[in-house]
Coordinates of all heavy atoms in Angstrom, one line a residue:
L1257 N -9.6 7.7 39.6 CA -8.3 7.1 39.3 C -8.1 6.6 37.9 O -7.1 6.9 37.3 CB -8.1 5.9 40.3 CG -7.7 6.3 41.7 CD1 -7.6 5.0 42.6 CD2 -6.4 7.1 41.8
G1271 N 4.4 13.9 25.2 CA 5.8 14.3 25.4 C 6.8 13.5 24.6 O 7.8 14.0 24.1
T1304 N 9.8 16.5 0.3 CA 9.4 15.5 1.4 C 10.4 14.5 1.7 O 10.3 13.8 2.7 CB 8.1 14.8 1.0 OG1 8.3 13.9 -0.1 CG2 7.0 15.8 0.6
A1310 N 13.7 10.3 7.4 CA 13.6 10.2 8.9 C 12.6 9.2 9.3 O 12.8 8.5 10.3 CB 13.3 11.6 9.4
R1316 N 10.2 3.8 15.7 CA 8.9 3.7 16.2 C 7.9 3.6 15.0 O 8.2 3.9 13.9 CB 8.5 5.0 17.0 CG 9.3 5.0 18.3 CD 9.2 6.4 19.0 NE 9.9 6.4 20.2 CZ 10.4 7.5 20.7 NH1 10.2 8.7 20.1 NH2 11.0 7.5 21.9
F1318 N 4.6 4.9 13.1 CA 3.6 5.9 12.9 C 2.8 5.5 11.7 O 3.1 5.9 10.6 CB 4.3 7.3 12.6 CG 5.1 7.8 13.8 CD1 6.5 7.5 13.8 CD2 4.6 8.5 14.8 CE1 7.3 7.9 14.9 CE2 5.3 8.9 15.9 CZ 6.7 8.7 15.9
I1327 N 2.4 6.1 -0.2 CA 1.8 6.7 -1.4 C 2.8 7.7 -2.1 O 2.8 7.6 -3.4 CB 0.5 7.6 -0.9 CG1 -0.6 6.6 -0.4 CG2 0.0 8.4 -2.1 CD1 -1.7 7.3 0.3
M1332 N 6.7 8.6 -6.7 CA 8.0 8.8 -7.2 C 8.5 7.7 -8.1 O 9.2 7.9 -9.1 CB 9.0 8.9 -6.0 CG 8.8 10.2 -5.2 SD 9.9 10.2 -3.7 CE 9.7 11.9 -3.1
A1354 N 11.0 -0.5 0.8 CA 11.4 -0.4 2.2 C 10.3 0.2 3.0 O 10.0 -0.4 4.1 CB 12.7 0.4 2.3
D1385 N 3.6 -16.4 -7.7 CA 2.5 -16.8 -6.8 C 2.4 -15.9 -5.6 O 1.4 -15.8 -5.0 CB 2.7 -18.3 -6.4 CG 2.5 -19.2 -7.6 OD1 1.8 -18.8 -8.6 OD2 3.0 -20.4 -7.6
E1386 N 3.6 -15.4 -5.2 CA 3.6 -14.5 -4.0 C 2.7 -13.3 -4.2 O 2.1 -12.8 -3.2 CB 5.0 -14.1 -3.7 CG 5.3 -13.6 -2.3 CD 6.7 -13.3 -2.0 OE1 7.5 -13.2 -3.0 OE2 7.1 -13.3 -0.8
V1415 N -3.5 -8.8 -15.1 CA -3.0 -10.1 -14.9 C -4.1 -11.1 -14.5 O -3.8 -12.2 -13.9 CB -1.8 -10.2 -13.9 CG1 -0.5 -9.6 -14.4 CG2 -2.2 -9.4 -12.6
Y1416 N -5.3 -10.7 -14.7 CA -6.5 -11.5 -14.3 C -6.4 -13.0 -14.7 O -6.7 -13.8 -13.9 CB -7.7 -10.8 -14.9 CG -9.0 -11.6 -14.7 CD1 -9.8 -11.3 -13.6 CD2 -9.4 -12.5 -15.7 CE1 -11.0 -12.0 -13.4 CE2 -10.6 -13.2 -15.5 CZ -11.4 -13.0 -14.4 OH -12.6 -13.6 -14.2
F1419 N -4.8 -15.4 -12.2 CA -5.3 -15.6 -10.8 C -6.1 -16.8 -10.6 O -6.8 -17.3 -11.6 CB -6.2 -14.4 -10.5 CG -5.5 -13.0 -10.4 CD1 -6.2 -11.9 -10.6 CD2 -4.2 -13.0 -10.0 CE1 -5.5 -10.6 -10.5 CE2 -3.5 -11.8 -10.0 CZ -4.2 -10.6 -10.2
S1421 N -9.5 -18.8 -9.2 CA -10.9 -18.4 -9.5 C -11.5 -17.5 -8.4 O -12.2 -16.5 -8.7 CB -11.8 -19.6 -9.6 OG -11.7 -20.4 -8.5
V1428 N -13.8 -9.1 -10.4 CA -15.1 -8.8 -11.2 C -16.1 -8.1 -10.3 O -16.7 -7.1 -10.7 CB -15.7 -10.1 -11.7 CG1 -17.1 -9.8 -12.4 CG2 -14.8 -10.7 -12.8
A1450 N -7.6 -2.9 -20.1 CA -7.2 -4.2 -19.6 C -8.3 -5.2 -19.4 O -8.1 -6.5 -19.5 CB -6.5 -4.0 -18.2
S1466 N -27.2 0.0 -10.1 CA -28.2 1.1 -10.3 C -28.4 1.4 -11.8 O -27.4 1.6 -12.5 CB -27.8 2.3 -9.5 OG -28.6 3.4 -10.0
G1488 N -30.1 -5.4 -18.4 CA -31.1 -4.5 -17.8 C -31.1 -3.1 -18.4 O -31.9 -2.2 -17.9
P1492 N -31.0 4.0 -26.3 CA -31.7 4.5 -27.5 C -30.8 4.2 -28.7 O -29.6 4.3 -28.7 CB -31.8 6.0 -27.2 CG -30.7 6.3 -26.2 CD -30.6 5.1 -25.4

Side-chain angles (χ1 to χ4, degrees):
L1257 285 177
T1304 68
R1316 294 170 179 152
F1318 297 95
I1327 292 173
M1332 290 176 171
D1385 290 340
E1386 197 172 20
V1415 287
Y1416 175 92
F1419 292 154
S1421 58
V1428 172
S1466 165

